[in-house]
Amino acid sequence: MKPLPGGEYTTCDYKAVLKVPNNYHIDYDGHYYSVLYTYCGKPAILKATPSEIRICDQYNRLICTHRRSYKDFPLYITTDEHMPPEHLYYQEINSKDGNYYRRWASVFGPSMSELIDRILKSSKHEEQAFNACAGILHRVKAIPKGIAEEAARKCIEMNSCRYSTYRQVLKKMECDEHPESSPESLPSHENIRGKDYYK
């Protein structure tokens, strides 16, 4: 027991969990406290004091702590570091606004800016287009800005400002740039056996 000022003591409530659920949150007193997502399926022990939630592994080693919540909202108490990558991705998307994607697009050039702006304006509500904008901008992180900008320009010329069109244009440009990667362009060599060899 942990002593408090004035000589009072507070009790600690324990809850053993056989398996951390797939949504990596442990239910306690109507709230759901997160653990690192890699603990899904593993045993855990939750210890609750009036002010704190402590979660330990099956060997009683501390995994994480949370401030105990008594509010009606939010019911899910989540630490960002506990989230799997795909959840972080969607949290990032939903936490932004249209101007965020416009600013990001401007890094590549005027064509990318126009493409993203058209995509945002094509939806009744801008939020519906955030996923497409994030998909495009994440996709071009690792490629030269000139290629990303040229692909955007082609989409605008085609009057088809959509994620699916951009992906197809970009894929075609990458194939045109590296034709040697296609099987049809393998060099002929006397040691390479043709299809008739095995007949």
Side-chain angles (χ1 to χ4, degrees), residues 42-190:
K42 297 178 182 179
I45 303 166
L46 183 146
K47 304 175 182 180
T49 71
S51 61
E52 188 178 55
I53 297 292
R54 298 179 182 181
I55 302 176
C56 301
D57 66 11
Q58 60 183 320
Y59 304 108
N60 209 29
R61 293 177 299 209
L62 183 67
I63 299 172
C64 63
T65 61
H66 294 276
R67 185 186 298 274
R68 186 168 175 179
S69 177
Y70 293 93
K71 298 177 182 178
D72 292 335
F73 183 84
L75 293 180
Y76 280 82
I77 314 301
T78 307
T79 302
D80 285 354
E81 290 76 16
H82 293 167
M83 300 172 73
E86 61 273 17
H87 288 197
L88 278 171
Y89 173 74
Y90 285 108
Q91 183 196 49
E92 177 196 1
I93 290 172
N94 294 328
S95 67
K96 310 302 181 187
D97 62 10
N99 290 330
Y100 168 82
Y101 294 106
R102 289 183 176 95
R103 286 193 300 272
W104 187 358
S106 69
V107 171
F108 295 90
S111 294
M112 182 64 81
S113 293
E114 185 174 348
L115 174 70
I116 293 300
D117 187 59
R118 287 195 187 187
I119 291 173
L120 288 166
K121 289 177 177 176
S122 68
S123 298
K124 186 176 180 181
H125 302 287
E126 277 195 345
E127 294 84 357
Q128 295 171 334
F130 288 175
N131 201 29
C133 293
I136 288 173
L137 294 167
H138 276 288
R139 191 178 186 89
V140 297
K141 271 183 175 180
I143 68 172
K145 290 182 181 178
I147 293 176
E149 176 74 351
E150 177 65 13
R153 188 185 66 76
K154 290 184 177 184
C155 288
I156 293 166
E157 281 183 354
M158 295 162 60
N159 198 27
S160 182
C161 296
R162 293 191 295 269
Y163 170 74
S164 57
T165 304
Y166 188 84
R167 186 182 60 189
Q168 291 166 5
V169 169
L170 196 62
K171 187 175 181 181
K172 185 177 187 307
M173 288 177 64
E174 288 171 344
C175 288
D176 291 345
E177 189 181 356
H178 304 288
E180 67 276 3
S181 61
S182 62
E184 291 83 4
S185 60
L186 287 172
S188 59
H189 193 280
E190 61 182 3

